[in-house]
Amino acid sequence: MAQLKLKNVSKSFGTVEVIKDVTLDSTDGEFVVFVGPSGSGKSTLLRMIAGLEDTTAGDIIIGDKTVNNLAPAERGIAMVFQSYALYPHMTVYENIAFPLRVLKLPEKEVRRLVDRAAGILKLNERLQYKPGELSGGQRQRVAIGRAIVREPEIFLFDEPLSNLDAALRAEMRVELSALHTELGATMVYVTHDQVEAMTMADRILVLDGGAIAQIGSPLELYHKPQNTFVGSFIGNPKMNMLNVTGKSSDDKGVTVVLPDGQNVTAVVKGGGDVSGKALTLGIRPEHIRLDGPGVKVKMTPFLAEHLGIHTVSYANMDGCDDRFCTVMSGRPVLENVEIDVVIDGAHCHLFDENGMAFERVVDMSELDPAYLDLKKG
């Protein structure tokens, strides 16, 4: 397997710059996920790595080789697309074997590689089936098998689970993670689904308008988003953003004034003179409580989603541009009944007038053991 490095990579279509100065240094065997909303440039960046799109500026390095001017077949990559792109008249065996037939490998070697891939993907009993006789998940495994037999240096996945239903997506997330562990391969995976990114990635690259908004481990992005975009994008339901006014800053954190006049001290570093400044207080729905330490704020949910293990509720609240959301585990929340919720500054995020985060006082080495290793790598 091999490392992937992107050095100041950019891509323009005419005067429109769609990828803006992207730099990434992955480790050998790392599972990297590109995530972002539609139009953020994630698929374009993946296609540039694959050689399906030219690079306007910068370098793409696989292993110790700069591949900018190499054809896709010479880059040592295998790509799995959103559509399965299987040959309907061929058996599973022949679909997986197709790239090996193109290389004119001996039949004995073809059989060895196909059997190995089928064993990894649990397709042994389906080798003589046609794609039309398979489920969606099985078809996607065939497409992945076709990539495995090429023994690439890097696997590229372009939203491979988008065509599957919710249950199959969850199942295939587990299977792909297990595949990564078994192969020890470097994988780059594109998705707009932040749940896929959080559950599968070693590191996540968040793209916003073709530029990197943040790179980090899943828990680093969850606990220490560097800006309001990442704070809102990572996490489900998304982070509540309250418009607040800065009051003071000391070694305990930054104190802000909520829309109802109450004070909350966010446990963050620095801040300088924040008095009178328009700031944004971020609080994740799952960190809001009905009781405990913190400031009590009144809300009247207009919608309560009872999901069994927890209840998700939504309310209109002063200072919150979107719906204010809470996640209550094992506690009933009734629609159109006013309740008090508690906002604890220890769990809050704070962003300045430009949307950039104040540094939270969080020990990432305790929350995410992989964090220190990734930082070193």
Side-chain angles (χ1 to χ4, degrees):
M1 302 304 166
Q3 292 177 291
L4 169 68
K5 295 183 179 180
L6 307 178
K7 291 186 175 181
N8 307 110
V9 171
S10 298
K11 172 68 176 178
S12 297
F13 292 102
T15 59
V16 180
E17 190 175 22
V18 295
I19 299 295
K20 305 170 184 176
D21 196 29
V22 170
T23 294
L24 171 71
D25 193 349
S26 76
T27 58
D28 191 6
E30 190 173 14
F31 198 129
V32 179
V33 175
F34 297 166
V35 71
S38 297
S40 60
K42 53 192 183 297
S43 289
T44 299
L45 183 58
L46 192 77
R47 290 172 61 83
M48 291 166 67
I49 297 169
L52 303 177
E53 294 283 357
D54 294 332
T55 303
T56 303
D59 291 318
I60 299 172
I61 302 169
I62 296 176
D64 57 358
K65 181 169 57 178
T66 301
V67 300
N68 293 39
N69 298 318
L70 295 183
E74 299 174 321
R75 296 192 178 202
I77 58 96
M79 191 163 179
V80 179
F81 295 91
Q82 180 176 344
S83 61
Y84 314 127
L86 303 180
Y87 296 104
H89 64 287
M90 291 184 179
T91 63
V92 168
Y93 181 96
E94 289 301 330
N95 266 284
I96 295 175
F98 185 79
L100 306 178
R101 302 284 191 212
V102 173
L103 295 174
K104 303 186 186 306
L105 294 186
E107 186 60 35
K108 184 177 180 180
E109 181 68 2
V110 171
R111 167 64 66 177
R112 182 187 72 81
L113 292 170
V114 172
D115 285 348
R116 173 176 173 267
I120 291 171
L121 297 168
K122 299 179 177 60
L123 290 170
N124 308 74
E125 298 180 0
R126 298 287 188 272
L127 288 177
Q128 298 310 313
Y129 284 52
K130 298 287 183 64
E133 301 173 284
L134 304 178
S135 68
Q138 289 169 337
R139 293 179 197 177
Q140 193 57 274
R141 288 206 297 270
V142 175
I144 294 169
R146 192 165 51 192
I148 290 175
V149 295
R150 297 183 60 187
E151 298 183 323
E153 295 186 62
I154 295 177
F155 287 85
L156 306 178
F157 296 90
D158 190 6
E159 302 199 49
L161 309 185
S162 295
N163 292 334
L164 305 181
D165 61 41
L168 269 178
R169 287 172 72 100
E171 181 182 331
M172 285 300 297
R173 286 203 305 265
V174 175
E175 290 192 17
L176 281 173
S177 296
L179 176 66
H180 174 249
T181 300
E182 183 166 349
L183 296 178
T186 301
M187 294 184 175
V188 181
Y189 186 101
V190 161
T191 181
H192 65 276
D193 186 339
Q194 55 93 15
V195 174
E196 284 183 18
M198 292 288 287
T199 55
M200 298 171 66
D202 293 322
R203 262 196 309 168
I204 298 172
L205 186 153
V206 184
L207 283 170
D208 179 19
I212 295 176
Q214 189 172 349
I215 302 176
S217 71
L219 289 183
E220 183 182 1
L221 268 57
Y222 178 85
H223 290 287
K224 286 192 169 186
Q226 293 178 354
N227 49 63
T228 53
F229 176 81
V230 176
S232 295
F233 193 81
I234 298 296
N236 186 32
K238 70 177 186 178
M239 183 185 292
N240 296 302
M241 298 291 184
L242 285 170
N243 299 316
V244 297
T245 303
K247 182 177 182 180
S248 62
S249 175
D250 56 30
D251 57 2
K252 294 181 181 179
V254 175
T255 300
V256 299
V257 182
L258 298 177
D260 67 0
Q262 297 189 82
N263 294 339
V264 171
T265 299
V267 184
V268 296
K269 293 182 179 179
D273 183 12
V274 298
S275 179
K277 290 185 177 180
L279 307 177
T280 302
L281 188 73
I283 177 73
R284 295 199 180 277
E286 56 271 29
H287 292 155
I288 295 169
R289 299 288 182 265
L290 292 176
D291 50 36
V295 175
K296 287 188 176 182
V297 178
K298 293 186 181 299
M299 63 175 281
T300 303
F302 64 84
L303 175 64
E305 299 175 335
H306 302 285
L307 304 178
I309 190 172
H310 57 248
T311 298
V312 180
S313 66
Y314 299 88
N316 295 312
M317 184 175 288
D318 290 343
C320 190
D321 294 332
D322 294 317
R323 308 298 191 188
F324 190 85
C325 180
T326 69
V327 175
M328 302 296 177
S329 298
R331 299 292 293 272
V333 176
L334 301 178
E335 295 177 3
N336 302 314
V337 176
E338 186 180 78
I339 58 174
D340 289 332
V341 297
V342 175
I343 296 177
D344 183 356
H347 295 297
C348 287
H349 304 255
L350 190 62
F351 305 91
D352 65 19
E353 56 268 38
N354 297 314
M356 301 305 295
F358 292 78
E359 184 181 356
R360 291 188 71 213
V361 182
V362 177
D363 188 348
M364 286 302 306
S365 63
E366 292 182 6
L367 292 168
D368 186 1
Y371 173 76
L372 291 181
D373 293 335
L374 288 170
K375 293 293 279 188
K376 292 176 184 175

